Every structure is written in structure tokens, then in C-alpha cells.
Amino acid sequence: MSLLSYLFHPNPGHLAYSSPSAAAVLGACTALIILSFAIKYWRRRLKNSVTRKLSRAWSSISFWFGASGLLLVVSRVEQIQFIAMRFLWAFWGMLLLFLIFLQWRIFRMRHYEVLPRVDNLDPRDRYLPGKKRIG
């Protein structure tokens, strides 16, 4: 019961912007937003259409997780009740890990490379005897 009250308490206590944990989470969420723009730039330069298609959601996932993380940090520091619950942080983290795992699995399953195809002129050539070697 104490774990539930710990997770779902609407106002978990005061936190300052100067605390190391708040600064680290603010930095990580800002890095996620910057990473989203870097991914978007990287995708534009890709030549492989399969990789470009499979990485389509990465930029938006990174941006929205960074923005929602910033919202959760600011609501915790400013003591906005019900948005500052620890449960929302746990849910945010589990959802982020699930989406990373899901995107990794989809990328591993569907990523392929088109290999150049070499056609034989005559399919019978494989079965006919070759020239005799002299010497």
C-alpha cells in the first residue's frame, strides 16, 4: 500500500531547478529534442530507401518524449499537482523502453539490402560441359 501511495501521490514534494537530478533530466530531455532534429537531418541524407522508411518514426518519438519529459520536470518543480506524480515518470520510462525495443525489433526484421543480380545469358550453360584444358 505504501508503494501505491508513493507512486500516485499528487504532490510528491518540492524540487528545485538547481538540484542535480532535475538538471540531469532537463538536460536529457533537451538532448532528446535536439536528437530529433539530428535524426531528421540524417534521414534526408540517406540513400537507402528501406532504412529511410524504417526510421520514419524515430524523429517524432524522440521529439515528443523530450517535450513530455520537459513538461513532467517543470510540473514537478513548479508543484503542479497530478502532473507531478511519480507514476507518470514510471509510465514515461516504460513506454520509452517499449518503443525503443519495438523499433529495434521492427528494424531487425524488415531491414534488407538489395543485392545486384547477375543473370546468366543461357540457363543451359550451367549444365553443359566446359572446354577441355590442355596441358
Side-chain angles (χ1 to χ4, degrees), residues 47-97:
K47 302 223 185 306
N48 189 346
S49 64
V50 177
T51 306
R52 190 179 318 123
K53 181 180 178 183
L54 291 175
S55 63
R56 184 179 357 190
W58 296 356
S59 176
S60 61
I61 287 173
S62 177
F63 179 80
W64 286 109
F65 270 94
S68 62
L70 285 176
L71 175 76
L72 290 174
V73 170
V74 169
S75 67
R76 176 78 187 266
V77 170
E78 300 296 330
Q79 293 183 345
I80 300 172
Q81 291 185 355
F82 297 107
I83 300 176
M85 284 193 292
R86 292 179 182 103
F87 170 74
L88 292 177
W89 275 111
F91 181 71
W92 183 88
M94 287 188 295
L95 189 62
L96 180 63
L97 289 176

Side-chain angles (χ1 to χ4, degrees), residues 20-133:
S21 60
V25 175
L26 280 172
C29 292
T30 306
L32 277 175
I33 292 174
I34 293 170
L35 180 68
S36 74
F37 294 114
I39 290 171
K40 188 177 279 190
Y41 175 73
W42 170 74
R43 279 191 71 241
R44 276 192 223 134
R45 298 182 62 212
L46 277 177
K47 302 223 185 306
N48 189 346
S49 64
V50 177
T51 306
R52 190 179 318 123
K53 181 180 178 183
L54 291 175
S55 63
R56 184 179 357 190
W58 296 356
S59 176
S60 61
I61 287 173
S62 177
F63 179 80
W64 286 109
F65 270 94
S68 62
L70 285 176
L71 175 76
L72 290 174
V73 170
V74 169
S75 67
R76 176 78 187 266
V77 170
E78 300 296 330
Q79 293 183 345
I80 300 172
Q81 291 185 355
F82 297 107
I83 300 176
M85 284 193 292
R86 292 179 182 103
F87 170 74
L88 292 177
W89 275 111
F91 181 71
W92 183 88
M94 287 188 295
L95 189 62
L96 180 63
L97 289 176
F98 174 72
L99 284 175
I100 288 172
F101 175 74
L102 185 68
Q103 288 293 319
W104 176 72
R105 290 282 302 210
I106 290 172
F107 190 82
R108 293 265 325 240
M109 283 189 326
R110 295 186 178 180
H111 191 268
Y112 61 89
E113 184 176 335
V114 178
L115 297 175
R117 185 173 172 177
V118 179
D119 290 333
N120 291 335
L121 296 176
D122 189 8
R124 295 176 295 173
D125 287 342
R126 280 195 305 190
Y127 303 108
L128 295 175
K131 292 183 181 179
K132 288 188 177 181
R133 295 183 186 170

